Amino acid sequence: MTTLTRTSPVTPAAERGTRLRHELRAVHALIHRDLLRLAGQRAHTALMLLHPVLYLFLLGGGLAALIPRSSLGVGYQTYLFPGMLMMTVQTPAIMVGIRLITDRESGYLRELLMAPVHRSTLLLGSCAGGTLTATVQGAVLLGLAGVAGLPYDPVLLVLLLAGMILASFTITALALALAVGLRRAETFHTLLGLVMMPLLFLSGGFFPLTALPGWVRALSDANPLAYAVDLLRRTIALRVPDRAAAAGVEWAGGPPPLLLEAVLLLAGGILALSWAAHRFSRPE
């Protein structure tokens, strides 16, 4: 006698739950991949961290005696510190865009696209992994806050870390938006020189934005990195009033609300990632 087993139909809710688990598993796998790369490339990570450290000690220490404290409101190393935090998170965040192109060149991206997940999920996982690794490296540089004349205040460090997460997300999203339509890493490197480096120098990380000519100042007002640096610098001033630096981003003669700067930074990252996801959703 044959016994027939009756299988219950899969409900739409169960199907959506299974689909969501697949998507989250893909995001987790891409984040784990970036963390493994970070842990396995210690020499490369150390060299990336060495760059802003040298700027902080050599440039900051050398120019501290030449730039009067009265023009910045603080010592030059203290003024430079938010810019160095931005430089620290910028490099690993940009590397996400380079990896997207090299994955496409090597054929690894084609294998990823065979996974039963949305293309935008793969991009989201890459962005999350880049944001996390960039923030981790930025957190290491926070250990030099004392060198920049800042106290090791736990609340201050947590707020700076939150600001770096926002900045890392936005830079990673911008890097993906630049890289998603490219096929060669050389083209991406050229674009970096034309786009990302000017954004860094017009961020107010090295010198006050008020010292710039009017038309350059207008460009800096549209620079997302300027809002990121200003967010970090004003966070320091909020917790340590005697370390309040010269004004950065100004609207109508005054700084925009601190929360609004954070919202604008987040919105810029979301827009860049959404545009990149739209481009990435097209068939290869």
Side-chain angles (χ1 to χ4, degrees), residues 198 201-203 207-223 226:
F201 283 109
L202 292 178
S203 67
F207 43 79
L209 295 176
T210 52
L212 298 174
W215 66 274
V216 181
R217 182 67 185 271
L219 292 177
S220 67
D221 287 342
N223 180 5

Side-chain angles (χ1 to χ4, degrees), residues 7 36 82 106 110-111 135 149 163 170 172 179 197 207 211 225 232 265:
T7 58
L36 287 178
S106 65
R110 187 172 297 276
E111 295 180 9
T135 303
T170 301
T172 305
M197 290 308 296
F207 43 79
L225 298 193
L232 296 176
L265 198 60

